[in-house]
Amino acid sequence: MPSFDIVSKVAQHEVDNAFNQAQKELSQRFDFKDTDTSIERAPDAITIRSGSEERAKAALGVLQDKLVKRKVSLRFTEPGNPEPTGKGGARIVVKIKEGIEVEKARTLVQIIKESKLKVQASIQESQVRVSGKNKDDLQQAIAAVRGRDLGIELQFINFRD
């Protein structure tokens, strides 16, 4: 029985590359000199620290620019609000979102059911598996999901006959 999976996976190596490029640019740019601006990478987040809120926001802009240039969708990121730190500085935590949340997965299943195609959709951890009797129905299911904006970046993988 043909099937495919709907996932939301970020290319971690591209996020690392964008992080390294942003870190290098922040260390070289004149407008960031003597502002104590730095960025740190954790497995699921990037933390931006700076001497002022404006410089932290500017550093966030540099990071987002590098992510876009590396073809990483900004839908994978969730920047937080600037938080004040000691000495008048600011910190911004940018979460890297990966996987489909349960509510979004339920919405995906509902979209597929509403399309009245002869396919079945099931939630499996952080992905949705869609199976059906013929490839044409599966391709129509992909088109139905792509036609709706859920606010997350989706990939369609493991298309099997």
Side-chain angles (χ1 to χ4, degrees):
M1 185 186 278
S3 67
F4 69 90
D5 296 329
I6 303 173
V7 297
S8 179
K9 288 189 179 179
V10 64
Q12 289 292 344
H13 62 282
E14 291 296 346
V15 173
D16 289 337
N17 289 340
F19 168 78
N20 291 334
Q21 288 176 346
Q23 195 173 33
K24 185 175 181 182
E25 184 171 328
L26 291 176
S27 69
Q28 292 177 344
R29 275 186 38 182
F30 181 76
D31 56 336
F32 286 105
K33 282 214 185 311
D34 300 327
T35 60
D36 297 326
T37 302
S38 66
I39 59 176
E40 300 167 9
R41 175 93 161 99
D44 60 345
I46 296 174
T47 304
I48 300 169
R49 287 183 167 74
S50 187
S52 70
E53 188 175 318
E54 290 78 29
R55 288 291 91 201
K57 287 181 181 177
L60 174 63
V62 169
L63 176 66
Q64 289 176 334
D65 184 47
K66 297 302 178 191
L67 286 168
V68 167
K69 285 184 179 177
R70 302 295 305 180
K71 294 187 175 35
V72 175
S73 174
L74 293 181
R75 289 183 172 191
F76 287 120
T77 64
E78 188 177 294
N81 293 325
E83 303 166 1
T85 61
K87 301 179 189 172
R91 177 181 72 187
I92 299 175
V93 178
V94 181
K95 293 180 183 163
I96 308 295
K97 299 185 296 184
E98 190 167 58
I100 301 174
E101 298 168 2
V102 176
E103 288 301 315
K104 300 278 185 183
R106 287 185 184 142
T107 305
L108 278 171
V109 170
Q110 191 64 35
I111 289 169
I112 292 168
K113 283 184 179 177
E114 287 172 359
S115 66
K116 305 249 190 266
L117 297 170
K118 294 181 180 177
V119 295
Q120 296 81 39
S122 61
I123 301 170
Q124 297 178 347
E125 293 181 26
S126 63
Q127 66 183 23
V128 176
R129 169 144 311 152
V130 181
S131 57
K133 291 194 176 189
N134 64 27
K135 290 191 292 187
D136 293 337
D137 288 343
L138 294 178
Q139 289 173 341
Q140 289 175 352
I142 290 173
V145 170
R146 279 196 175 138
R148 300 280 291 272
D149 183 26
L150 297 174
I152 57 175
E153 196 70 27
L154 297 174
Q155 294 92 25
F156 303 93
I157 61 169
N158 296 337
F159 198 97
R160 297 190 178 116
D161 269 336

